[in-house]
Amino acid sequence: MGEKVENIIKIIYKKYDGFTNSKKLIADYILNNFNNIVYDTLSTLAQKIGVSTTSIIRFAKDLGFDGYSELQESIRNYTRSDDPFNVVKNFKELENENLAELFENSLKKDIENLNKTIHSISKEDLEKSIDLLANSRKVYVIGYNDSFTLAYYMALRLSQVRESVHLLQSVGNMNPMELATSNDKDLMLAFLFPMYSLNTINIINKAKQNGTKVLIVTSNDATRIKHLGDVLLPTYVYGLGVRESLIAAVSLSDYLASAVALVNPDESRKLITYADRIYQTGYYLDSN
């Protein structure tokens, strides 16, 4: 079972097109709720998905497992070994770090993440992303939990160089109403990292129902969510701290905003000039 443990997600996607509708329902639930399944009994999972326990067992056997227990164990091992967002594992590794060397090692890890990210994104995907960001009628930006920081930063940078940028927020657990008028001329830019937010996924699916294109900034292993986006931009997020490092995603955001400014120089120049005029009227401490 060793090979299956490491490639459980790849196995699902490899066989996905040949699944019946019932098995696709099971596969979709597993892919979107991966980290929760390690705690579910067979009957609990069947109830959540709305299928029989027999269907799940057959699904597991189709993947090459003896049954649900072996499938669940492969998922459990995957989350332990391959998930860079495994906080318990990260904390245990952090305990072995020399405090005096942690600062230097953390920065070195960030540099490594940046270098790997440079080579992980294809030129074609970057060009598609820039075209969508520059030419879509509206750009909706979303992210939950830690990813909200990235979403806010990107919305701020992007709104400085183009119009009609909307940061989606779900205050009071209320779905963003802006999406009601989204269409196929619009773009949703989602920051989506493990553990994957169901709120973000649900909103992405609602936007897709309106024909809205979806651009996702995520971690380098995005197999579980690749079906959600028209374009995926993978970033390396492995950190030496308790939590993951999001430096590469921040740098990518800076690049994308700058590229949009170059594609639409007239609009960007107008917005930058307007903002600069406002900022000079009492927003900042005078340098004099």
Side-chain angles (χ1 to χ4, degrees), residues 121-130 233 252 255-256:
I121 303 176
S122 70
K123 180 181 178 181
E124 181 183 5
D125 285 339
L126 281 177
E127 291 175 349
K128 288 180 182 177
S129 301
I130 294 166
L233 298 180
L252 178 61
Y255 163 75
L256 291 173

Side-chain angles (χ1 to χ4, degrees), residues 43-282:
S43 59
T44 299
L45 181 61
Q47 185 176 15
K48 285 182 177 180
I49 302 176
V51 297
S52 67
T53 55
T54 303
S55 295
I56 296 177
I57 293 172
R58 288 173 180 166
F59 175 82
K61 290 184 176 180
D62 276 357
L63 297 184
F65 298 102
D66 292 336
Y68 175 66
S69 295
E70 191 173 295
L71 170 65
Q72 187 180 45
E73 183 62 23
S74 74
I75 294 173
R76 186 176 291 116
N77 280 307
Y78 180 89
T79 59
R80 286 172 183 165
S81 61
D82 291 343
D83 190 352
F85 292 73
N86 189 324
V87 178
V88 174
K89 183 187 72 171
N90 291 348
F91 186 74
K92 288 181 179 179
E93 293 177 354
L94 182 63
E95 288 180 314
N96 297 324
E97 285 288 325
N98 184 311
L99 192 60
E101 298 175 350
L102 181 59
F103 175 67
E104 180 180 353
N105 290 338
S106 294
L107 293 185
K108 286 181 178 179
K109 193 65 178 178
D110 284 339
I111 293 171
E112 179 184 330
N113 285 334
L114 289 168
N115 285 327
K116 287 183 176 180
T117 298
I118 289 173
H119 300 291
S120 69
I121 303 176
S122 70
K123 180 181 178 181
E124 181 183 5
D125 285 339
L126 281 177
E127 291 175 349
K128 288 180 182 177
S129 301
I130 294 166
D131 178 63
L132 288 169
L133 288 166
N135 298 314
S136 295
R137 182 183 68 124
K138 295 180 180 179
V139 177
Y140 301 96
V141 188
I142 187 171
Y144 277 82
N145 298 322
D146 291 358
S147 293
F148 179 76
T149 305
L150 295 171
Y152 173 82
Y153 182 78
M154 184 58 184
L156 173 66
R157 285 286 178 256
L158 198 58
S159 64
Q160 292 170 341
V161 296
R162 65 149 291 163
E163 298 177 348
S164 300
V165 177
H166 303 269
L167 176 64
L168 298 183
Q169 303 182 60
S170 187
V171 178
N173 203 31
M174 182 174 158
N175 285 329
M177 295 304 296
E178 297 98 318
L179 286 179
T181 58
S182 70
N183 59 39
D184 58 0
K185 295 181 176 61
D186 298 332
L187 172 69
M188 172 167 287
L189 170 56
F191 291 87
L192 186 58
F193 294 85
M195 301 171 57
Y196 297 114
S197 164
L198 287 178
N199 285 326
T200 301
I201 292 172
N202 289 336
I203 291 173
I204 287 174
N205 286 329
K206 289 178 181 178
K208 291 174 68 174
Q209 290 174 4
N210 292 343
T212 301
K213 298 290 191 301
V214 177
L215 168 62
I216 300 178
V217 177
T218 185
S219 57
N220 61 294
D221 182 6
T223 311
R224 280 176 265 177
I225 60 165
K226 69 176 185 179
H227 63 291
L228 294 174
D230 295 283
V231 184
L232 269 69
L233 298 180
T235 62
Y236 278 75
V237 296
Y238 295 91
L240 291 182
V242 175
R243 294 285 180 175
E244 67 283 353
S245 169
L246 300 177
I247 295 299
V250 172
S251 296
L252 178 61
S253 297
D254 285 333
Y255 163 75
L256 291 173
S258 297
V260 169
L262 292 177
V263 171
N264 294 328
D266 293 337
E267 181 180 3
S268 299
R269 190 179 299 107
K270 180 184 71 173
L271 289 172
I272 292 170
T273 302
Y274 177 74
D276 188 58
R277 189 181 306 125
I278 293 177
Y279 293 154
Q280 291 181 24
T281 59

